[in-house]
Amino acid sequence: MANFNPIKDDVFLLQYVWLAGDQSLRSKTRTYYQRINDVSDIPKWNYDGSSCGQAPGEDSEIILVPCALFRDPFRKNLPFSHIQSFLVLCKSKTVDGKPALGCNREYAEVIFKNRMHEEPWYGIEQEYTLFEKDSVTPLGWPKHNGKLGFPAPQGPYYCAAGTNNIIGREIVEEHYMACLEAGIRVSGINAEVMLGQWEYQVGPCEGLSAGDELWMSRYIMERICEKHDVVVSWDPKPIQGDWNGAGCHTNFSTKTMRENGSEEYVMRLMEKFKENHMDHISVYGEGNERRLTGAHETSPITEFSFGVADRGCSIRIPRDFHDCNYKSGYIEDRRPASNMDPYLVTAKIAETCIDNM
Ligand code: ADP
Ligand code: MN
Ligand code: MN
Ligand code: MN
């Protein structure tokens, strides 16, 4: 083994990131000395699947297959340094080549393979709630004799400014900047309706990159929260009662919708969404029935509906799309929950919207 050459050689710090069986995000680091030009240059690796709920102890190896490359915003790449840091999103496979529990990327790969001629674009609105370390108290909420109290009712918090109506902004800003540094296409951020709840949007991203970028943005959020000693909840209804839940509205367009749409095309799409409603709901997130009640800007989980500019529908058609006679635009699927798997949701939408159109 040759010694490190301080003039010629670079060091690459590779943070391999993957999904455990319960879809919690896990990662570990490897120092690597060979030049990297592309994700395909990064070697496979493995981990202890028995500690991630994905394999039995006696045959525990799970293989990591690098899929998408990002810059590491945590290990700063100093100017003129020979150290370069990357985040490597991986899929997990068992030794006999099957996807490990919790890893649905390969399922999405299969769906997108024959559907990319329609160039499916996704813009995902990730809502989430910040909690104190106890995971019980949303950030900024009062406590009375150790029990959770309530802030003033919803109204002043959405997109607010001011000390009494906003909490956690420095965390949100840090996440925003870290995602952009990583190369994730965050298109915006906003404070949400419940105190402690926020949103960022990822997109538009084409095909598989939507799932890759959203998963990595969640990983980055977990890491930012560590630094601030807070907890992020992806639960779709973290506080019961008259408080908004958290969703992952998925905005979607095909090439046809963007360039050559028509009312007939969009109505046919709505017909297909209606036929497949429960099939979609089945992959739109755990506990979504607590959120899709028909109140708090949602539609009931058992009914499909659509409407122009209507936030009480399953699918909202933006006003602009309607006003141009459906020539060019996108639709918003409001059903997915904040904890949904973007590989499953994007793939399911592609299936419904591209096949037999
Ligand atoms: P809302 O008005 O529902 O809060 P947002 O502004 O939060 O919507 O999110 C809209 C998302 O839709 C953004 O991520 C944006 O990039 C994305 N988007 C815009 N145009 C398209 C398109 N043609 N196809 C898919 N997504 C799109
Ligand atoms: Mn939004
Ligand atoms: Mn929102
Ligand atoms: Mn929305």
Side-chain angles (χ1 to χ4, degrees), residues 125 127 158 190 192 199 249:
E125 303 170 51
E127 294 179 340
Y158 170 73
N190 62 270
E192 268 305 335
E199 168 181 318
H249 298 167

Side-chain angles (χ1 to χ4, degrees), residues 213-225:
E213 292 185 31
L214 194 75
W215 273 121
M216 193 53 92
S217 74
R218 288 178 180 170
Y219 172 79
I220 290 173
M221 179 61 79
E222 298 283 358
R223 293 280 307 270
I224 299 272
C225 285

Side-chain angles (χ1 to χ4, degrees), residues 144-159:
H144 300 301
N145 305 322
K147 281 174 74 181
L148 181 65
F150 294 92
Q154 294 186 159
Y157 310 120
Y158 170 73
C159 296

Side-chain angles (χ1 to χ4, degrees), residues 279-314:
D279 200 27
H280 278 251
I281 289 293
S282 70
V283 296
Y284 275 13
E286 205 78 44
N288 207 8
E289 70 286 348
R290 289 183 277 119
R291 163 181 168 259
L292 292 182
T293 56
H296 303 108
E297 303 174 76
T298 70
S299 61
I301 195 164
T302 50
E303 287 166 35
F304 178 81
S305 59
F306 69 93
V308 175
D310 188 344
R311 286 183 154 71
C313 286
S314 313

Side-chain angles (χ1 to χ4, degrees), residues 59-74:
D59 186 8
S60 66
E61 208 158 287
I62 296 280
I63 314 298
L64 284 168
V65 182
C67 291
L69 195 55
F70 299 88
R71 284 185 186 271
D72 186 335
F74 299 104

Side-chain angles (χ1 to χ4, degrees), residues 71 73 173-188 201 220:
R71 284 185 186 271
E173 287 288 328
E174 204 176 315
H175 174 259
Y176 183 25
M177 295 313 287
C179 283
L180 292 175
E181 260 186 82
I184 295 167
R185 289 166 282 182
V186 175
S187 60
Q201 303 100 32
I220 290 173

Side-chain angles (χ1 to χ4, degrees), residues 27 78 88 129 144 153 156 165 214 251 255 278 328 337 342:
S27 64
L78 296 173
V88 185
T129 313
H144 300 301
N165 294 330
L214 194 75
N251 300 274
K255 190 170 163 47
M278 288 320 281
S328 175

